[in-house]
Amino acid sequence: MATETIKSKQTTPKITERISGSEAIVRSLIAEDVNIIYGYPGGAIMPVYDELYKYQDKIHHVLTRHEQGATHAAQGFARISGKVGVAIATSGPGATNLITGIADAQIDSTPMVCITGQVPSHLLGSDAFQETDIVGISTPVTKWNCQVTKAADIPAALAKAFYIARSGRPGPVLVDITKDAQFEEFDFSYEKCLKVRSYVPVPKTVEGSLEAAATLINSAKKPFIVWGQGVILSEAEEQFKALVEKAGIPAAWTILGASALPTSHPLNVGMLGMHGNYAPNKLTNECDVLIAIGMRFDDRVTGDLSKYAKQAKVIHFEIDPAEINKNVKADIAVLGDAKDTLSLILPLIQKNAHTEWHQKFKDLYAIEYEKVIKNDLHPTKQGLTMGEVINEINVQSKGEAAIVTDVGQHQMIACRYADFNKTKSNITSGGLGTMGFGLPAAIGAKMAAPEREVVSISGDGGYQMTIQELGTIFQQKAAVKIVVLNNEFLGMVRQWQQLFFDKRYASTEMTNPNFVAIAEGYYLKARKVTKREELAAAVKEMMESKEAYFLEVCVEKEDNVFPMVPSGASVSEVRLA
Amino acid sequence: MNTEKQLFTVSVYTENNIGLLNRVSAIFQRRGINIESLNISSSEIEGVSRFTIVVNVEEENIKKIIGQIEKQVEVIKAYYHDDDETIYQISGLFKIKSDLLFEERQIQNIIKESSARIVTVNKEFFVLEKSGKKEEIDLLHRELKPFGIMQYTRSGRIAVTKDEMKISTLLETYNN
Ligand SMILES: Cc1ncc(C[n+]2csc(CCOP(=O)(O)OP(=O)(O)O)c2C)c(N)n1
């Protein structure tokens, strides 16, 4: 027996090569099919940059202008490609600058691996130059993290990092590697991680739950589907559409679920939540069966929980068991990957068309159209509206563009009005609501899908939080289209001040620079629009540009986003004005 | 379900890795829950650690917390139990001036009646150890206090459940 084992080991020898820890990092990335990474160098990560220089033909490193930009770019890349985004940074300030992007990725379930350099291990804990406890700092905002102090541990740590980041409910992972481990030499070999003991990425579907869910759906008179990003993350778009169509159920989306079902689909009844559409918000409190798919009942979606869908039986399709009953009690929980569970339930669903019930959504839409949408998209008053800009982009892009938004009024308007014909077309910061997300995320999105038109839409406030990434756009020749909707206000906050703080506009007015000159300073084509007559031509010029293009549109200063569910109110108290 | 706050013993089986204490305690911290006592030790399974955490919360809340604990990559399994479902102990150590042991008859009686154990005695001080329920240790503390206690400390709760926790079988399924 013993000799046999030795023999079999000898016949399949592990191929190892003596290399440094830093080379091992780069080789591990290559083994994980990474060919683009975003980052910023510094002392504690320099050995890795030196290796990146050597491996330029295999991995393209994008130098962002701030580490936060690197994380958002990695997120944009991940969101459009479905692959793991990678960001790297040096120790101390480099590492802490990653935190906002990591927190954003955590709450929005974006697969990301961050690698940080760390001071040499003999200095750990000594307050050495540029030392921070990044593992401690990032613990609450990572799916998993670890520190590596020996070169030999690098391949396994990175393999585990990639596996955890991308499997199950995806998320960000951080691996902190000391400088001595980067220099140390060892016998390198790489094995992909296929499982981690104690980690169950996809829970088993509880026996009978699919049948129970199907029975409930089949017997429902007023069923309503609310879906989230889970549909996109599990690539279940096809199965999802099949279910919606077969069962004939009106379906509405959370902001991160947008684009999983085309905007034009007859059963797509719009957006949920605080600035969502009128009908889906109102009718949440009238449906008899609420079918939640890959969404987590965020408070921006549910409003007052004690008045949320109390009349309805709730079915929750979900990959993360911790989401079940977290906010809304589920009568039936269907655990598992949405692609699997939706495929399995489809044959159990009876063909149906809830025509009368669906008509209620259409009736309420008509009211919303009259009171809100018409004025947003086809205004007759003088000032330009954000909605008409989005509408013009829809026209020129034929609804094919990937829309990357920042955070604020423009975000709500863009998500409400953009046409999404293709899945993975709406890239925005949902759970964290991170201003400054848009511009760098657009860089990553464009690099992941160079064939797609990527339009970044920001407000004048958020744009200036990561405006320096124009430098990255210029250096990388990333042909993103950048639109700033300038209302000279931190618009969303101003709206709240108007509605809930007696119009006391405390520190929300912005005196802005010459945005066009700044863009031109980065050698980008740029144009500013102040009048309606100029809009169509400018958007056309932008969309036809082969290079990056900056468009500033001066919009009405004090426009508001409606409908609105005031914070803490019930979804049926949605206001139209 | 009981909607009133009550004491629960949470048992968490984890991989023996650095950083998990942070992750687990952060879950309580984020929800503003004060941990009454915490003990981490090895468990019946090699390489597997066990956290025993005592908290005072509503049952609905503890269920959600268990879900979030189990979600952590290196957590194998988490359970919660009320006091009736567990056998639990804590331990208290009392450091007292040695003179008292010989001069105060009453102290000798207290030691005898409480079935506390003398761990060590030297010229300056002696150390008493008492294991049991928190109330028993509190009682001993109250009785000894008037005589002067040089140092006093109490451990976190340790507990075993009356029911089986099938960790070994669970680990086997993970390994397959
Ligand atoms: C980093 C960060 N800081 C503060 C906020 C709070 N906040 C939400 S929306 C908003 C205003 C956004 O203004 P602007 O970027 O001009 O967009 P607009 O609402 O005018 O479209 C602010 C300050 C935030 N979401 N993110």
Side-chain angles (χ1 to χ4, degrees), chain B residues 2-10 28 31-38 52-63 65 80-83 134 157:
Chain B
N2 200 336
T3 54
E4 263 170 45
K5 280 192 181 181
Q6 69 179 109
L7 274 193
F8 286 109
T9 303
V10 175
F28 293 94
R31 287 178 172 260
I33 294 164
N34 192 22
I35 291 176
E36 308 283 329
S37 100
L38 169 76
T52 307
I53 305 166
V54 181
V55 282
N56 193 18
V57 288
E58 300 96 22
E59 186 163 8
E60 197 179 326
N61 235 337
I62 198 71
K63 277 193 179 165
I65 288 165
Y80 73 94
H81 292 96
D82 64 24
D83 286 357
K134 178 170 167 287
R157 178 186 284 200

Side-chain angles (χ1 to χ4, degrees), chain A residues 386 406-411 432-436 458-463 465 485 487 489-493 510:
Chain A
M386 300 193 184
D406 210 72
V407 171
Q409 290 185 314
H410 66 279
Q411 174 192 31
L432 203 65
T434 306
M435 284 171 75
S458 299
D460 45 321
Y463 179 60
M465 282 201 174
L485 299 179
N487 53 14
F489 268 112
L490 297 173
M492 187 57 96
V493 179
M510 284 213 136

